[in-house]
Amino acid sequence: MSSIDVKIPVPKVFLAPIPAFSDIGKTANDIINKDFYHNAAAALEVKLKAPNGVNFTTKGTSPQGDNPISASVEGKKALDKGTLNLDLFAAYIPFDLMYSLPFVIIFNGTPGRLGHSDAFKRVSLKAFLRSTGISITQSWNTADVLMTKVELANTLANGLKAELTNNFSPSKGSKGQKLSLYFQQPQFHTRAFFDLNAQQALTANVDGVIGYEGFLVGGEAGYDVQKAAITRYSASVGYSTAQYNAAILATNNLSIFSALYYQKVNSAVEAGVKASYDVKSSSTVGIEVASKYKIDPLSFMKAKINDRGIASLAYNTKVNTGFTFGIGASFDTQKLNEAGHKIGASFTFEG
């Protein structure tokens, strides 16, 4: 008598990579906060890629009210192993910083005395790269701050990413430096940020998340080196899958508690809810509920409302391969006959 083996397939549960501490509950936060365009009267973003591989991003925002327009221009280049001729856009480059990087820099010409005329000179350089995973980002904004960031991903160790950022104002001098370290493995994700401000005060912030089969536990702490004191601490727990996730966060020295829940209802509908309570200054629980509906592969709509009766609507569509348009509005449902409602639009061009 022969036997028959019957194998019943067991569905695999998809578990996302361990998120960073600030990303616990990110899907719910994105549903509630992202792609609502009423916060700015108009926002413009232009993304271009040069033939040499440099990605340029220009952003401009016209805020609500009488606040001034803000704008920035950014260039980012991912460097490959070998020899690269890189023509950086007009920005001040901290030369001492570049000499400390894991590649050799040869400059065209000798930089002169730093001033407004020198700060915006175009600098051509040749880089002999010793490793891959390196990128350079430079930006300049309307606050007259020039930012240079060097990223090294999986260069020093597998799973380790390091970022060194220098902020400089041609009119006011150094605005500070920041070293950021990210280390991610299958079961944990940890980060460390060391910030040296313009007054040479050093602060450190460290956070970490460990996970097992979708369960997440994380913590964060901030430390002031000059004062030798802990300045902040937070904690969180969560559970995450591809279809839904939930998280509870205790931030601001465990004085603000938030609960977030996200669910992908089906292929077209997503929903998120957030409840928050401030132990020190609030006697009520703040609640926000939001939903996203995918109209077609190129368009979606979003809606949300909070416990104060503020309702927001948004629509986003990709007109063609190079243009995305978004429009949104916010209404106080308890004061519909009064001024104070907001409307805004977003224009994104890619090429």
Side-chain angles (χ1 to χ4, degrees):
M1 186 174 181
S2 61
S3 61
I4 300 176
D5 293 332
V6 178
K7 295 183 178 180
I8 301 176
V10 178
K12 293 183 178 180
V13 178
F14 172 79
L15 299 178
I18 304 300
F21 179 81
S22 59
D23 290 337
I24 294 179
K26 182 178 185 298
T27 48
N29 275 320
D30 285 349
I31 288 291
I32 294 170
N33 300 314
K34 192 176 179 182
D35 297 322
F36 286 100
Y37 307 105
H38 59 270
N39 291 321
L44 173 66
E45 184 174 2
V46 180
K47 301 177 181 179
L48 300 172
K49 187 171 184 177
N52 64 350
V54 178
N55 293 293
F56 288 95
T57 302
T58 303
K59 296 180 181 180
T61 301
S62 176
Q64 302 283 0
D66 298 327
N67 296 316
I69 294 174
S70 62
S72 66
V73 58
E74 175 185 288
K76 182 174 182 178
K77 172 65 179 178
L79 309 182
D80 298 322
K81 192 173 182 179
T83 302
L84 175 72
N85 291 314
L86 181 63
D87 188 25
L88 299 178
F89 70 92
Y92 167 71
I93 302 174
F95 299 105
D96 293 339
L97 168 64
M98 285 197 163
Y99 276 119
S100 67
L101 300 176
F103 50 82
V104 178
I105 300 296
I106 297 178
F107 293 96
N108 261 355
T110 303
R113 182 180 64 83
L114 179 63
H116 273 284
S117 59
D118 295 320
F120 302 106
K121 282 184 177 179
R122 185 176 296 274
V123 179
S124 298
L125 57 87
K126 181 178 289 185
F128 298 94
L129 305 182
R130 301 189 182 118
S131 60
T132 57
I134 302 172
S135 62
I136 298 176
T137 304
Q138 293 185 300
S139 69
W140 179 33
N141 59 31
T142 49
D144 197 23
V145 175
L146 300 164
M147 184 275 292
T148 300
K149 179 170 68 176
V150 180
E151 302 173 59
L152 297 88
N154 298 314
T155 301
L156 305 176
N158 188 31
L160 176 64
K161 179 182 177 180
E163 294 180 357
L164 188 59
T165 304
N166 179 77
N167 294 306
F168 179 83
S169 173
S171 59
K172 299 179 181 179
S174 176
K175 303 291 287 186
Q177 294 81 35
K178 186 174 183 178
L179 172 64
S180 305
L181 301 174
Y182 309 79
F183 188 54
Q184 186 174 18
Q185 294 296 310
Q187 299 299 326
F188 68 91
H189 191 161
T190 184
R191 306 180 303 176
F193 306 98
F194 304 92
D195 195 346
L196 184 66
N197 62 24
Q199 290 73 39
Q200 301 301 304
L202 179 63
T203 59
N205 290 281
V206 180
D207 63 47
V209 178
I210 59 175
Y212 179 73
E213 295 186 351
F215 290 96
L216 304 170
V217 178
E220 175 194 42
Y223 185 76
D224 189 314
V225 176
Q226 271 69 31
K227 297 179 181 178
I230 295 176
T231 56
R232 54 186 284 189
Y233 48 89
S234 307
S236 64
V237 294
Y239 181 74
S240 178
T241 69
Q243 299 300 321
Y244 66 91
N245 61 68
I248 297 177
L249 298 88
T251 58
N252 196 27
N253 300 342
L254 307 184
S255 65
I256 299 178
F257 291 85
S258 303
L260 301 102
Y261 179 76
Y262 162 86
Q263 183 171 352
K264 188 172 184 179
V265 181
N266 53 46
S267 59
V269 179
E270 300 172 69
V273 60
K274 179 179 180 180
S276 58
Y277 179 72
D278 191 331
V279 175
K280 296 181 178 179
S281 61
S282 178
S283 59
T284 60
V285 177
I287 299 177
E288 293 180 280
V289 180
S291 180
K292 177 180 179 180
Y293 174 66
K294 191 174 182 180
I295 303 171
D296 55 52
L298 301 178
S299 306
F300 65 83
M301 293 186 65
K302 295 187 70 174
K304 74 172 178 178
I305 190 167
N306 62 23
D307 61 291
R308 301 183 305 278
I310 306 298
S312 302
L313 300 172
Y315 172 75
N316 178 287
T317 183
K318 192 168 186 178
V319 180
N320 53 46
T321 56
F323 175 49
T324 301
F325 172 72
I327 187 169
S330 174
F331 307 94
D332 189 337
T333 59
Q334 298 179 358
K335 302 176 182 178
L336 290 176
N337 59 339
E338 298 182 13
H341 311 304
K342 299 178 180 179
I343 186 170
S346 171
F347 305 86
T348 302
F349 297 89
E350 298 183 54

